[in-house]
Amino acid sequence: MNTWTIMIYELRRLFSSRSMILNMFLLPLLLIFLLGASLSGVVGDKGSSTIDVVRVAVVNPSGEGYESSAMMDSFLKSTELKDIIAPIMVESREAAESGLRTGKYGYAVVVPPGFDSKVQSGEAAQLEFILGQKSTDNRVAGTVFDNFLRSLNYKQSVAMTLGPEALNVMAPSSTSDQPTVKLGELSEGGYTYTSSQFYAVSMMLMFLLYSGLTVCTSLFNEKENHTLFRINAMPVKGSELFIGKMLGVGVVSIVQCAAIIILTNVLFGVNWGNRPGLLLLFCLLMIIASMTLSIVISMFSKTGASARSVVTLLTVSMTFISGGMAPLPESWVNSIGAFTINHWAMQAILKMMLHADVSQIMPNLGVLSLICLVLFSAAAISYRKVGYHG
């Protein structure tokens, strides 16, 4: 009974504080809005990409008993290439190289003499490519002509193995209607998270860690106001007082987490994924980790100011190292960032937003549960050794 009475009193005290309401509920929403709007081109979905038409110099010589390649001419006239490459016929390799140096062309293709006859006689289809100044143009044009050669060599192999009649059987199922170059997303199921989603996750986790400041303040208020002696003189066990205070802070943190999730979804359109149960579980584990870490720090700190300083330093450091403040290289986030608490929850929630399979999320759940178990054990041991008294 005493525990619930203390918890209710703690809730009344916390919710009557205007600074607590501002810091725990309004400040996270403001930061999510500002960061999500200002860094929309840096984090998450950067919008649809487009392919610029590449000017390709084509050297298709004739003479010395050879005709220009009809296969190449037919390929360059296909309608699917008009939005990808702009073929320009040039007389010689030297003219193509000169145009590449001046930036007139983005790519060059040299068709060897007798290309068609070599292909028809069973030799491998080969072209000479000369790269331009822009890597993007090289990738786009290279993909187009690599597909052309791959198609020729495949048909040639089929004809040599199964006979020319096999090509007629393959014709109806040809994939020529499909584009030569297609833009796509590498994220699973075509989903990708936006900057608002990214910073909603990172800021929520950061402020859940900041709930440790509330733990420190709650524990040291009674000491600094010299009311802990009077409370201990009452028929109230030290464990009841301690547990009641922690339950009060825990309830406030749960309300804060729920408010951030609901309000960001309603106000900013943040999609938190399709697994609300797992999302809630990760939030609860983060609250437990934050509170137990703050308990350990408070038990061994002499003043509330020193305890709050340590909690603030750890929160800011872990948020930055885990990549929650600014995009960091994946090698950094997955190596050094793995030693932070936020990392495991943040990566898991982002995967939920991408509608990833549960099997990809469970390792994060296991690691975060282990961290909570270690911190909870450390908090229990430190409380038994130091205790909560004046």
Side-chain angles (χ1 to χ4, degrees):
M1 188 64 183
N2 289 334
T3 301
W4 301 114
T5 302
I6 295 170
M7 183 193 76
I8 293 172
Y9 171 79
E10 190 70 15
L11 288 174
R12 288 178 178 176
R13 186 183 67 82
L14 290 174
F15 280 112
S16 63
S17 172
R18 293 181 181 179
S19 61
M20 192 278 295
I21 298 295
L22 290 173
N23 292 332
M24 296 189 70
F25 294 94
L26 296 182
L27 185 57
L29 295 175
L30 180 62
L31 285 177
I32 291 169
F33 171 73
L34 293 176
L35 293 173
S38 60
L39 298 177
S40 58
V42 179
V43 178
D45 186 8
K46 302 175 180 59
S48 301
S49 300
T50 57
I51 296 179
D52 296 328
V53 178
V54 183
R55 294 171 58 86
V56 179
V58 181
V59 183
N60 194 3
S62 61
E64 299 181 3
Y66 296 106
E67 295 291 336
S68 60
S69 172
M71 293 181 180
M72 178 60 71
D73 291 338
S74 175
F75 174 70
L76 295 177
K77 292 177 182 178
S78 58
T79 56
E80 66 181 34
L81 296 182
K82 65 179 181 179
D83 296 329
I84 302 174
I85 66 171
I88 302 172
M89 308 304 295
V90 296
E91 298 180 354
S92 63
R93 176 192 173 98
E94 289 74 18
E97 291 178 345
S98 176
L100 289 174
R101 283 193 293 268
T102 60
K104 183 179 180 181
Y105 309 125
Y107 197 77
V109 178
V110 180
V111 183
F115 178 79
D116 290 2
S117 60
K118 291 179 180 178
V119 172
Q120 293 169 0
S121 64
E123 297 184 23
Q126 294 181 344
L127 298 171
E128 182 181 356
F129 303 136
I130 305 177
L131 303 182
Q133 299 176 359
K134 296 182 179 180
S135 59
T136 303
D137 291 348
N138 294 333
R139 284 195 296 269
V140 172
T143 301
V144 170
F145 289 100
D146 283 343
N147 288 341
F148 170 64
L149 292 179
R150 191 176 298 111
S151 177
L152 285 181
N153 288 323
Y154 175 72
K155 292 179 180 178
Q156 185 185 72
S157 300
V158 171
M160 294 178 64
T161 305
L162 303 178
E165 297 79 7
L167 294 177
N168 296 328
V169 177
M170 292 172 52
S173 61
S174 173
T175 59
S176 59
D177 292 336
Q178 298 182 3
T180 306
V181 177
K182 181 179 179 181
L183 288 176
E185 298 288 348
L186 293 179
S187 58
E188 305 205 10
Y191 296 99
T192 181
Y193 58 79
T194 64
S195 59
S196 295
Q197 286 178 297
F198 178 85
Y199 282 109
V201 176
S202 63
M203 291 299 103
M204 181 186 72
L205 296 179
M206 184 180 77
F207 277 90
L208 288 183
L209 284 178
Y210 266 130
S211 63
L213 292 177
T214 310
V215 172
C216 298
T217 302
S218 178
L219 292 177
F220 279 95
N221 264 351
E222 307 296 345
K223 293 183 178 181
E224 294 171 351
N225 294 334
H226 306 289
T227 56
L228 187 56
F229 293 104
R230 285 180 285 174
I231 295 175
N232 287 331
M234 297 179 181
V236 178
K237 295 180 180 179
S239 59
E240 292 176 339
L241 174 62
F242 184 81
I243 295 173
K245 282 182 167 292
M246 293 305 99
L247 286 176
V249 176
V251 170
V252 172
S253 299
I254 293 174
V255 174
Q256 176 195 28
C257 181
I260 292 175
I261 293 174
I262 295 173
L263 292 177
T264 52
N265 179 262
V266 173
L267 299 178
F268 311 139
V270 174
N271 181 4
W272 289 87
N274 59 345
R275 305 190 186 280
L278 272 178
L279 176 62
L280 176 61
L281 181 57
F282 273 98
C283 292
L284 290 176
L285 289 175
M286 277 297 299
I287 293 172
I288 293 172
S290 172
M291 292 180 60
T292 50
L293 177 63
S294 300
I295 290 171
V296 174
I297 295 172
S298 298
M299 290 294 102
F300 293 98
S301 298
K302 294 183 179 180
T303 63
S306 61
R308 288 189 290 268
S309 298
V310 174
V311 171
T312 302
L313 178 62
L314 287 177
T315 298
V316 174
S317 301
M318 286 192 290
T319 303
F320 176 78
I321 294 173
S322 63
M325 290 185 175
L328 296 176
E330 289 294 328
S331 57
W332 173 284
V333 173
N334 292 326
S335 56
I336 300 177
F339 291 95
T340 63
I341 302 174
N342 329 41
H343 170 83
W344 299 101
M346 183 173 179
Q347 296 302 318
I349 297 176
L350 289 177
K351 289 177 182 177
M352 294 181 207
M353 290 179 170
L354 298 179
H355 293 198
D357 190 75
V358 179
S359 60
Q360 300 182 29
I361 303 173
M362 295 309 292
N364 297 61
L365 180 61
V367 174
L368 190 57
S369 300
L370 180 61
I371 292 174
C372 290
L373 180 60
V374 172
L375 289 175
F376 185 85
S377 302
I381 293 173
S382 61
Y383 177 78
R384 286 188 177 183
K385 287 191 174 183
V386 179
Y388 181 52
H389 49 76

